Amino acid sequence: LNDFVKDFLEDDLRNPADGSVGSLLPDLKSVALGYGSPKVYPLTFCLYHALARIARTYGGLSGTEIEYLQKGYQTALAMFRHVDQSIFLGTGQPLMPYLYELLADLKSHGVDVSAGQRLTEARTLDFSRRRYPFGGESLWSTSGFEEVYDAARRRQNDELEERTLRCAYATRSLSPSWWWYGVDKRTVEDLDDSSHAWQADRGELCVGPSTVANSLMFLTTLERDSYYISDAYLRQATGGLLSPWALVRSDGAAGMGFGPDSASGHVGISGTTGDIGLSLFYYLHGMSSYVLPTRGVGVLTIGCHFEGDAEDTSDWYSVRPWDGVGRRIVVRQVGLDIATSFGVIKDFRFDGRKRQASVAIFNPADREMLCVVTMHGMWGIRFNVGNAEVQSRDGEIRFELLLPAGVEALVEIKESGAGQVIEPQK
């Protein structure tokens, strides 16, 4: 990563003076050209944000967290200056919603990000005023839906939110075929000027990055209790989330898509890695474990296994996340969720009265790591966490664990009494 950033990104693609990012390499001797492509900027500031998270947790990089955050912010501001507004305004761009996470981390370090906030807020306001702000380089492309949906939620525009979901899932299939089930089709414009063999014969190509990005849109509707969960949307979202993993081989190599057309010269899994990394980023960064109790069909789960045990005093429930999804658990209707800043949640148990819980967290790193755990929804004000007492702040319990390398720690959480109401911190 250090060599990639130093010898390629900051030596050939991104100008350190103003944060502009090129999109074309004319030859092996020159720096990149074409600073008006809107897609390369979110890729770059998301990379810097990822480097900042590594610097904050595991370490080992040549830069510090704040240095990477500031470079990402400079890149984001350069995007608004260099990209042609005629293709940037009025339609969503992949990865743009993650700019809000970058701004939030900078604010936590005391950095003034008012300029970035004004630009992003103006962009979300523009989306909320348009009836169908989805068509970008092509009316067939679905890559702009995620930003429009995020803008609708931030502006509390329920009508645009519902319309975006309806349009994003309109062409997804539920036929029993892994490359069509809940999957977005790719268009020629998705690859711009790529020399991929797919463009030569226009054969069908499936399972692009927008498949996972648009699947995550539905998961955000599960953050609040709902009387009705669309079965079709739920199945389409789940199929879309899982589909890119079929493109990954056992040795870690992966293709950017799948061509089901037997008459095409690129039938089968693509031999080009391409943008498969985007699909995997969306999944690993945005996927959580969801438990969804319903009135009609029992308990639905996404990303986890769920079990219940009846005991003498109360019922106990256990949630075991899937591999790779152990950072956050959401139990809807019950009103519980738990998240970790680092580490893997192996098992989360809680009683039906929400007075007691336990969580097993594994440290997969080869060094001692600090893990910050946040829980919402437990019933009470004060709780014993291990040997310490923790107070709930506006329904949130927060505590830290120092996890040795390769060790799984079990933490018990138990209400310690009614206590007194604590006013939330401003």
Side-chain angles (χ1 to χ4, degrees):
L1 282 173
N2 286 326
D3 292 341
F4 176 83
V5 172
K6 176 185 176 183
D7 299 331
F8 180 63
L9 177 63
E10 297 180 345
D11 189 55
D12 301 317
L13 292 183
R14 179 184 177 275
N15 189 336
D18 63 355
S20 58
V21 183
S23 58
L24 299 171
L25 285 169
D27 52 58
L28 297 178
K29 300 178 181 179
S30 304
V31 295
L33 307 176
Y35 302 102
S37 175
K39 293 183 178 180
V40 296
Y41 287 92
L43 278 171
T44 306
F45 69 64
C46 280
L47 172 61
Y48 277 123
H49 198 188
L51 293 171
R53 288 193 292 268
I54 295 174
R56 182 180 68 241
T57 55
Y58 187 80
L61 296 177
S62 58
T64 64
E65 177 189 6
I66 188 62
E67 289 174 346
Y68 290 125
L69 290 174
Q70 289 174 332
K71 288 181 180 180
Y73 184 51
Q74 183 190 38
T75 304
L77 294 180
M79 171 181 60
F80 288 94
R81 291 195 304 270
H82 291 274
V83 174
D84 185 356
Q85 297 302 301
S86 64
I87 62 175
F88 191 48
L89 292 177
T91 184
Q93 296 294 333
L95 295 173
M96 277 295 291
Y98 296 96
L99 178 56
Y100 288 94
E101 296 183 7
L102 176 65
L103 296 178
D105 281 357
L106 279 165
K107 286 184 65 176
S108 68
H109 285 274
V111 179
D112 180 16
V113 294
S114 56
Q117 287 179 324
R118 286 194 300 269
L119 292 169
T120 52
E121 289 171 2
R123 189 168 171 81
T124 58
L125 177 62
D126 180 65
F127 286 143
S128 67
R129 291 173 173 172
R130 298 174 185 259
R131 184 166 175 78
Y132 287 97
F134 310 131
E137 299 160 352
S138 166
L139 293 177
W140 297 102
S141 175
T142 60
S143 61
F145 284 77
E146 59 168 310
E147 187 185 4
V148 176
Y149 181 78
D150 181 78
R153 287 183 65 84
R154 293 183 184 278
R155 302 290 303 183
Q156 296 183 344
N157 189 336
D158 296 337
E159 183 183 0
L160 181 58
E161 182 180 334
E162 188 277 333
R163 192 183 309 123
T164 306
L165 273 176
R166 178 159 42 87
C167 292
Y169 288 77
T171 61
R172 290 194 171 193
S173 173
L174 288 175
S175 60
S177 171
W178 71 265
W179 59 83
W180 281 329
Y181 191 94
V183 164
D184 291 348
K185 304 301 186 293
R186 305 200 70 167
T187 65
V188 175
E189 290 81 359
D190 282 341
L191 295 181
D192 297 325
D193 297 322
S194 169
S195 58
H196 192 276
W198 167 60
Q199 290 197 321
D201 56 20
R202 300 298 190 268
E204 186 177 17
L205 192 67
C206 303
V207 200
S210 66
T211 293
V212 187
N214 294 339
S215 296
L216 290 173
M217 285 163 33
F218 176 74
L219 294 191
T220 62
T221 66
L222 307 179
E223 300 294 325
R224 299 172 182 171
D225 290 349
S226 174
Y227 289 106
Y228 172 74
I229 297 176
S230 171
D231 180 68
Y233 282 5
L234 179 62
R235 291 199 287 159
Q236 288 176 327
T238 305
L241 287 166
L242 297 179
S243 60
W245 294 102
L247 303 175
V248 183
R249 296 192 322 209
S250 58
D251 63 351
M256 65 183 295
F258 179 82
D261 188 354
S262 60
S264 171
H266 65 272
V267 61
I269 294 179
S270 172
T272 304
T273 298
D275 49 15
I276 181 63
L278 270 180
S279 297
L280 304 183
F281 166 81
Y282 279 125
Y283 180 93
L284 293 172
H285 190 75
M287 182 64 171
S288 300
S289 298
Y290 291 88
V291 179
L292 311 170
T294 65
R295 293 182 177 181
V297 295
V299 178
L300 302 175
T301 61
I302 302 177
C304 63
H305 304 283
F306 176 75
E307 295 178 351
D309 296 320
E311 296 185 0
D312 295 336
T313 56
S314 64
D315 295 333
W316 279 82
Y317 304 96
S318 174
V319 183
R320 298 193 307 278
W322 289 349
D323 185 24
V325 198
R327 291 285 300 280
R328 182 170 179 243
I329 296 173
V330 178
V331 187
R332 284 276 45 91
Q333 314 301 340
V334 178
L336 267 178
D337 67 77
I338 180 172
T340 67
S341 64
F342 192 90
V344 182
I345 299 176
K346 290 294 186 179
D347 188 24
F348 175 53
R349 285 174 51 83
F350 60 93
D351 75 321
R353 295 184 58 78
K354 300 198 295 186
R355 264 75 171 186
Q356 300 180 66
S358 67
V359 57
I361 302 177
F362 173 69
N363 176 15
D366 59 356
R367 64 181 66 175
E368 187 178 64
M369 300 296 298
L370 178 66
C371 170
V372 180
V373 182
T374 56
M375 295 179 62
H376 292 85
M378 291 294 288
W379 201 282
I381 303 298
R382 291 187 174 90
F383 293 86
N384 290 326
V385 180
N387 297 323
E389 185 177 76
V390 178
Q391 291 185 343
S392 172
R393 300 285 182 178
D394 197 22
E396 178 183 281
I397 304 171
R398 184 183 181 93
F399 56 92
E400 297 180 352
L401 298 173
L402 200 58
L403 299 176
V407 168
E408 178 177 316
L410 179 64
V411 182
E412 302 281 348
I413 301 103
K414 185 176 181 180
E415 186 197 15
S416 61
Q420 77 181 73
V421 176
I422 306 298
E423 292 296 330
Q425 292 180 337
K426 296 182 179 180

